[in-house]
Amino acid sequence: MKALHNFDELRALNGNWLSLYALPTWTEKGYDHRLSLFHERLDFSGAPLRELPRRLMVQCRQLYVLAQLTCRGMHDGRTLIARTWDSVVKRFYHPALPNKWAFSVDANGEVADSRCDAYTLAFLLFALAWIHRVEPNPEYIRHADEVLRLLDGPLAAPGGGLVDAVPRPDGFLRQNPHMHLLEACLALHESTGRSNYLERALTLHGLFSSRMLWRAQKALPELHNDDWKPARPADSWYEPGHHFEWVWLLRRLSKAADIDVDAEVKLLLSRALVEGIDAEGFAIERVGIAESTITGSRRSWGTCEYLKACAVEAEAAPNEAAIWRERAALALTALHNGFLSAARPGLWHDRVDAAGNTLSNDVPASSLYHFVFAMMECERVFGCIVRQPSDLARKPALFLDRDGVINIDTGYPRKPADITFVEGVGEAIQWAKAYGYRVVVVSNQSAIARAYATEAEVMALHRWMADQLDIQGAPIDAWYHCPFHEKAQNPAYLHPDHYDRKPNAGMILRAAQDLNIDLAHSRMIGDNPSDLEAARRAGVSGHLFTGGNLALFTKKILAPT
């Protein structure tokens, strides 16, 4: 599959698909205002399939989507989150049920399936972690802790881990609920800072490492027996998408708990990269473990998880980042051309055959979670320059505009010869560091949209500028830029009012999420009223720089009173 655009343009196109089409589709036609719940599926015209039961898992995934995009400044989903959560509690949570949470409700909002399901509860925990991040609320954590007690009680498997559901559907144990429970525990730890969630995540990792992973075959079987041995070894299979999903989770756990996961990551990738990715960048649906028999279909979620793995491996191994970026470009091309090419923008083909023909009859809401997660990870790793990601203790930041604050504004600089640093910039950064601030650049770069420079050229210039400031002992933690404009000449960057473009606060909010920034105690220095407005929208104190020595200006606004 030949890419129609370069990697940076593909990131931009997919981001616009999400913000301009997918999000409005699923918050409007995809939302049942009568029940205050999301529809389960849409047809290819965008009409909801109204009579389908609504699963709790789908509501939780959509709550994550709203929370993630709210945190990123893409969409203010706070009202819809509150409304949906109230309906989830009203319709799915029944203390009189043996295990409190129902699996699904019917089109009238009445319980359709009262089964207590481990996979569903993992996503309930995940949603609670994310909506708590948007609006901290002890009620969310009370629900989360009650769910964990359910998992420790009726859903506990005799040999460790979880059974799938109560009542139990069959005699197998599955890795999938455990994977998503680990994901949820990490999210809860990041949202609350409570160590008990991280300890539970480490326990799940121990089960994965010692019992689930079939090291001799370099594979993670989907089915196990009650002794955590591969069920039916002769015809066991693994799903490459789950190998990639575990790679991402292991790297995140490693960062949170300072543990070494390199050997497990390499083992998971050793088969999945060889057998689980086709020549066009699609993740294959499943592979037989014993004989490497391949199922020809491809699911959208697997390719999304491959993209996440590419991003996290590029972050973990900077010396191999170019290789992983190349792989990510192919995966992004597959995602864009193979799944997001539905006739109606904002919808997708969820499953295709080996020739790329759709196997889907409709559009499942459950897949949006995968698209959002993959796109956000792609932007986090490949869409900015983070220089010092190791220290993620919560700190305030000094946000700096670029042109007119860091360098003299000469009008769309694109190469080092165009840059003259503002007097005192190195010392200003040193002052900020001495006062305990991160330093983050947030810069509108419409030169990209206007086709005066490519995004790759702008990022290369930022790397050069960062290196020059490093030489002065003035390291900048991260560089964010917005390439979008409402009058873009390059259609990949055409957006009527992009959430990252100042005066919108997207870049500041994105940095806060990526770098654990305390916005309430942060500062912004800009040379334009739009910089100050972006700061205001993010809850940051803004300060207008009109020229002179940046160090003197910075010391004045940062010095303790």
Side-chain angles (χ1 to χ4, degrees), residues 56-131:
L56 176 58
M57 181 272 288
V58 167
Q59 306 308 314
C60 293
R61 287 190 176 194
Q62 298 295 65
L63 283 168
Y64 153 76
V65 167
L66 290 173
Q68 168 75 277
L69 301 186
T70 298
C71 288
R72 287 288 299 267
M74 185 183 296
H75 173 77
D76 186 353
R78 288 174 294 181
T79 299
L80 197 57
I81 288 170
R83 179 181 175 185
T84 304
W85 174 250
D86 286 347
S87 185
V88 163
V89 173
K90 175 182 177 181
R91 301 183 188 282
F92 290 91
Y93 182 66
H94 298 280
L97 287 176
N99 298 299
K100 302 192 188 315
W101 289 95
F103 179 81
S104 66
V105 299
D106 63 20
N108 294 315
E110 302 298 326
V111 172
D113 186 340
S114 62
R115 180 174 18 138
C116 183
D117 179 75
Y119 183 84
T120 298
L121 293 183
F123 274 102
L124 176 57
L125 290 170
F126 186 66
L128 286 163
W130 273 93
I131 64 177

Side-chain angles (χ1 to χ4, degrees), residues 396 428-437 554-560:
I429 294 165
Q430 291 170 356
W431 274 114
K433 294 286 185 175
Y435 285 128
Y437 287 76
T554 301
K555 187 176 180 182
K556 183 178 178 181
I557 67 171
L558 295 187

Side-chain angles (χ1 to χ4, degrees), residues 122-179:
F123 274 102
L124 176 57
L125 290 170
F126 186 66
L128 286 163
W130 273 93
I131 64 177
H132 183 268
R133 187 176 294 196
V134 174
E135 295 278 357
N137 185 336
E139 188 69 6
Y140 299 151
I141 303 309
R142 185 189 70 76
H143 275 297
D145 290 341
E146 182 182 62
V147 169
L148 288 170
R149 288 193 292 273
L150 283 174
L151 295 173
D152 289 340
L155 284 162
L162 305 170
V163 298
D164 279 5
V166 176
R168 194 169 174 182
D170 54 37
F172 299 119
L173 299 175
R174 289 169 171 81
Q175 68 80 26
N176 205 2
H178 300 81
M179 179 181 71

Side-chain angles (χ1 to χ4, degrees), residues 244-485:
F244 297 129
E245 202 161 1
W246 271 102
V247 165
W248 186 89
L249 283 166
L250 290 170
R251 290 297 189 197
R252 293 296 289 182
L253 179 63
S254 174
K255 187 173 284 190
D258 194 23
I259 62 171
D260 185 357
V261 298
D262 282 351
E264 292 160 347
V265 165
K266 289 175 182 175
L267 188 145
L268 289 167
L269 292 175
S270 64
R271 282 196 73 163
L273 287 176
V274 174
E275 301 172 335
I277 299 296
D278 70 14
E280 295 182 306
F282 290 93
I284 289 160
E285 191 163 357
R286 64 166 61 180
V287 178
I289 292 176
E291 298 181 359
S292 297
T293 50
I294 289 174
T295 299
S297 55
R298 289 91 167 98
R299 292 282 303 278
S300 63
W301 73 265
T303 301
C304 287
E305 295 307 323
Y306 177 44
L307 187 55
K308 283 169 58 182
C310 290
V312 81
E313 287 305 285
E315 181 182 40
N319 58 324
E320 297 177 5
I323 297 170
W324 288 105
R325 190 180 189 277
E326 221 172 287
R327 289 170 172 157
L330 196 58
L332 207 54
T333 302
L335 198 66
H336 182 262
N337 297 348
F339 297 112
L340 304 185
S341 56
R344 185 182 180 90
L347 304 180
W348 53 83
H349 300 288
D350 191 58
R351 192 166 181 250
V352 299
D353 64 19
N357 303 306
T358 186
L359 299 173
S360 303
N361 297 317
D362 50 41
V363 187
S366 58
S367 297
L368 187 58
Y369 146 86
H370 289 286
F371 292 127
V372 169
F373 216 144
M375 291 175 190
M376 296 302 100
E377 277 299 284
C378 196
E379 283 300 300
R380 184 180 70 82
V381 175
F382 298 115
C384 66
I385 300 167
V386 178
R387 305 280 293 185
Q388 299 179 356
S390 56
D391 172 21
L392 287 181
R394 189 163 181 79
K395 292 181 180 179
L398 174 64
F399 293 98
L400 301 173
D401 182 37
R402 194 191 78 175
D403 302 321
V405 175
I406 292 177
N407 56 279
I408 303 297
D409 190 352
T410 57
Y412 307 120
R414 57 180 288 186
K415 56 186 184 298
D418 299 330
I419 297 296
T420 300
F421 285 103
V422 165
E423 181 185 4
V425 64
E427 191 179 352
I429 294 165
Q430 291 170 356
W431 274 114
K433 294 286 185 175
Y435 285 128
Y437 287 76
R438 301 192 196 283
V439 180
V440 178
V441 176
V442 287
S443 174
N444 287 347
Q445 289 300 317
S446 67
I448 299 165
R450 299 174 193 274
Y452 299 153
T454 67
E455 192 167 3
E457 285 175 326
V458 168
M459 293 183 77
L461 181 61
H462 288 172
R463 290 188 184 94
W464 178 84
M465 293 174 72
D467 289 343
Q468 298 305 302
L469 291 166
D470 280 349
I471 291 169
Q472 298 181 40
I476 288 179
D477 294 279
W479 298 67
Y480 293 82
H481 65 278
C482 177
F484 297 91
H485 195 271

